[in-house]
């Protein structure tokens, strides 16, 4: 059974700020990988490891609080 938990102030998630999607072509088609980074420095480090011809997409991660539950 789940009970809803009410907060007076909405909690904020401070972890991953960026989502990096890397698409690369292989002999069997396109492969996509997703990485979650906390800073632009991590994003640049990930991009340096990518082979030539790959497509890199960087997204801002938005973590919206929805609801909290307590399992009874």
């Amino acid at each position: 059974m789940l009970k809803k938990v009410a907060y007076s102030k909405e909690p904020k998630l401070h972890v991953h700020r960026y989502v990096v999607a890397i698409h690369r072509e292989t002999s069997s088609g396109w492969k996509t990988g997703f990485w979650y980074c906390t800073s632009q420095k991590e994003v640049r480090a990930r991009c340096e490891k990518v082979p030539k011809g790959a497509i890199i997409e960087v997204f801002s991660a938005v973590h919206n609080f929805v609801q909290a539950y307590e399992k009874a």
Side-chain angles (χ1 to χ4, degrees):
M1 179 168 181
L2 297 176
K3 288 178 13 183
K4 285 187 180 179
V5 177
Y7 291 112
S8 59
K9 185 177 177 187
E10 188 173 292
K12 193 169 188 181
L13 188 60
H14 295 284
V15 288
H16 310 299
R17 297 187 60 188
Y18 303 99
V19 179
V20 180
I22 299 175
H23 313 282
R24 59 187 178 88
E25 191 171 17
T26 63
S27 60
S28 61
W30 284 88
K31 290 199 174 191
T32 302
F34 293 94
W35 285 267
Y36 302 93
C37 302
T38 56
S39 66
Q40 285 283 353
K41 184 178 178 181
E42 286 184 41
V43 171
R44 284 191 298 276
R46 174 60 60 187
C47 293
E48 288 174 2
K49 297 178 184 178
V50 175
K52 288 185 179 179
I55 298 171
I56 303 164
E57 298 172 335
V58 180
F59 299 94
S60 173
V62 178
H63 300 287
N64 292 328
F65 177 73
V66 177
Q67 182 66 49
Y69 295 97
E70 178 186 358
K71 187 167 182 177

